[in-house]
Amino acid sequence: NDAPLDFDLAKVMEQSRDNPVFYVQYAHARARSVLRLAEEQSPGIAQIKPDLHRLTDSGELALIKLMAGWPRLVESAAEAHEPHRIAFYLYDLAAAFHALWNRGKEDAGLRFLLTEDPALTSARLAMVRAMTVTIASGRGVCGVEPVEEMR
């Protein structure tokens, strides 16, 4: 409350990684897009019980560990009266998701949707769904509605 605040309106309007609000919103919208595309390409894929043991990539495990820390982070941020922890966490979560997305562009075996491996796809979709729920929860704590898609 007693620290000066520099507000950069140009940065707030920017659609890049430098704008944390946009960056987190974009991660959520991108994940929702993956889920929609999965259902279009393979109707009912979401009904397959995911075998989460199939998630073995270091990026997948890092994202899962980050999501697992969400409940404790909310608790500790509240106890310490430090709401900025939530914003930083959401940015880190978005960065981990975007990193996974980008690795999938470079290595086809790391893509979220693998038509030749429905079991792995199901596990990855469960992870993506969990990420959207976590971001939506965090955005709700901050009082900002997550977007379903961006154009």
Side-chain angles (χ1 to χ4, degrees), residues 26-40:
Y26 189 51
H28 186 268
R30 183 176 258 182
R32 296 296 302 156
S33 174
V34 167
L35 297 173
R36 282 192 303 275
L37 183 61
E39 195 57 38
E40 288 171 16

Side-chain angles (χ1 to χ4, degrees), residues 30 56-63 95-112 124:
R30 183 176 258 182
T56 58
D57 177 73
S58 62
E60 293 168 339
L61 297 176
L63 182 63
F97 178 76
H98 287 303
L100 260 180
W101 172 278
N102 290 330
R103 288 181 60 217
K105 286 173 46 181
E106 297 165 9
D107 179 352
L110 294 176
R111 292 187 178 152
F112 297 119
R124 287 183 175 161

Side-chain angles (χ1 to χ4, degrees), residues 85-96:
R85 288 186 191 184
I86 292 171
F88 291 148
Y89 169 86
L90 291 173
Y91 185 86
D92 291 344
L93 184 64

Side-chain angles (χ1 to χ4, degrees), residues 8-63:
D8 186 345
L9 185 59
K11 194 64 72 185
V12 171
M13 302 302 287
E14 199 173 287
Q15 293 188 353
S16 75
R17 182 182 185 145
D18 293 335
N19 176 345
V21 174
F22 172 81
Y23 194 62
V24 172
Q25 291 283 49
Y26 189 51
H28 186 268
R30 183 176 258 182
R32 296 296 302 156
S33 174
V34 167
L35 297 173
R36 282 192 303 275
L37 183 61
E39 195 57 38
E40 288 171 16
Q41 289 181 353
S42 304
I45 188 84
Q47 308 311 318
I48 297 174
K49 184 177 180 188
D51 178 6
L52 300 179
H53 291 97
R54 298 287 311 271
L55 301 175
T56 58
D57 177 73
S58 62
E60 293 168 339
L61 297 176
L63 182 63

